[in-house]
Amino acid sequence: MTRIAILGAGAFGSALAIALGRAEASRTVALWGRGLAPGARLSDRLPDHPLPSGVTVARSIQAATHGASTILIALPMKALGALGSELADVAAPVIACCKGIDPDTLTGPSAVLAAMTPAPVGVLTGPSFAHDIARGLPTALSLALDHPSAADTQQVLSTSTLRVYRTDDVTGAELGGALKNVLAIAAGACAGAGLGQSAQAALLTRGFAEARAFALARGARADTFAGLSGLGDLMLTAWSDGSRNYRYGLAIGQGHPPDPGMTVEGVATAAAIARLARRDALDLPVLTMTHRLITGEIGITNAVTALMARPLKEE
């Protein structure tokens, strides 16, 4: 019997539990989340999708991870530090399902988790909305894990509706998932301001080129950024109001205050990118302008004027 532990019962963690827990009798899922009581059959983040019989709600992180062959971390990036020493004794692959760059350490989730555990650490990412996964709609994800156990982990996480591809480029997969959130905020702002789809397409194309160059300089591979974790995730997130990052940008573009209770990973990532750009003298006009929009340092009209007035160059 294969046991999967999922730490975090937000929308994405709950959706993964639902998809993996109903897949087959040989696979069980232990789901842990703050506020999720043992015996619960429903996550308040996905109230229309009950937990299947293959899912048990664990009383503690230790109870969830005991005997697990794979541990999925579906907590927000900002909550990873709260795990503390909970993963110090685990041996199973630990897979981050969150996206972002920590604004303090300027590292991604794999580095944060690697400092907590001797276990192999990877990333599960790609174009996916939680409600699609929970409904059993066909979804493809990318598992980035540079370890001999990667093929086994890929098999464990794959179902008839969840197709998992494998790569050993953890850096590329992680940065693709993080940077597309910033670009989705920019795309939402562009749409909210009524600048037109031509402007939105140009903004995303140039922003993606910036993000790709940034990632390649940090050891990512170009094919990873062109895959599910990069271009694929951007295509979903930057054009749909199902994306929290897009809706956050849309509110900015419309001149409305974004929902303060909404978890928007791109906000912290934009702050981290702005810090890195200053520290390393990087030319990242779209990414850093997005951070200035978020903080209110610049308005959408002046941001567009500044980007359009940049010196002409080759593509």
Side-chain angles (χ1 to χ4, degrees):
M1 181 72 71
T2 299
R3 178 181 172 90
I4 302 168
I6 301 178
L7 306 185
F12 195 68
S14 298
L16 288 174
I18 291 167
L20 294 168
R22 70 181 171 215
E24 56 186 71
S26 62
R27 178 192 283 123
T28 63
V29 176
L31 175 65
W32 172 87
R34 295 181 181 87
L36 190 62
R41 304 316 305 161
L42 199 66
S43 165
D44 60 4
R45 296 299 300 275
L46 289 175
D48 297 328
H49 301 281
L51 299 174
S53 59
V55 179
T56 58
V57 176
R59 294 179 179 275
S60 65
I61 293 176
Q62 186 176 24
T65 57
H66 180 72
S69 65
T70 304
I71 300 170
L72 303 180
I73 310 296
L75 297 169
M77 180 78 185
K78 63 182 180 181
L80 292 183
L83 289 172
S85 60
E86 296 281 5
L87 303 175
D89 297 324
V90 303
V94 175
I95 310 299
C97 301
C98 53
K99 301 171 183 178
I101 299 174
D102 182 77
D104 296 321
T105 64
L106 301 181
T107 61
S110 66
V112 174
L113 291 171
M116 300 178 182
T117 178
V121 174
V123 174
L124 184 67
T125 185
S128 53
F129 285 148
H131 55 79
D132 288 344
I133 294 175
R135 290 173 60 196
L137 299 179
T139 305
L141 297 173
S142 178
L143 169 69
L145 181 60
D146 187 9
H147 190 266
S149 64
D152 290 337
T153 304
Q154 176 189 29
Q155 188 68 40
V156 165
L157 298 178
S158 297
T159 74
S160 60
T161 61
L162 200 60
R163 182 172 177 83
V164 177
Y165 289 82
R166 187 177 75 250
T167 177
D168 60 3
D169 183 8
V170 177
T171 299
E174 189 170 66
L175 286 175
L179 296 174
K180 63 87 185 178
N181 282 335
V182 182
L183 296 178
I185 292 174
C190 185
L195 299 179
Q197 293 185 341
S198 298
Q200 193 170 346
L203 179 75
L204 288 173
T205 303
R206 294 309 307 159
F208 184 75
E210 284 179 27
R212 180 178 178 274
F214 177 86
L216 294 183
R218 278 150 182 78
R221 295 200 301 264
D223 60 339
T224 305
F225 233 69
L228 290 169
S229 59
L231 182 60
D233 211 353
L234 179 66
M235 289 172 65
L236 177 70
T237 310
W239 294 95
S240 170
D241 60 8
S243 159
R244 293 187 300 268
N245 290 279
Y246 179 87
R247 293 201 306 273
Y248 188 94
L250 193 68
I252 292 175
Q254 293 172 338
H256 302 149
D259 180 358
M262 186 166 52
T263 298
V264 183
E265 298 280 19
V267 172
T269 301
I273 290 296
R275 282 187 60 196
L276 284 166
R278 288 192 299 270
R279 187 191 73 182
D280 300 338
L282 303 174
D283 185 29
L284 303 171
V286 173
L287 293 170
T288 54
M289 191 67 75
T290 303
H291 172 65
R292 295 178 65 192
L293 276 175
I294 291 169
T295 61
E297 179 186 340
I298 194 170
I300 187 71
T301 301
N302 289 336
V304 171
T305 300
L307 288 173
M308 293 296 286
R310 282 173 54 81
L312 300 176
K313 56 185 288 188
E314 292 185 354
E315 186 174 25

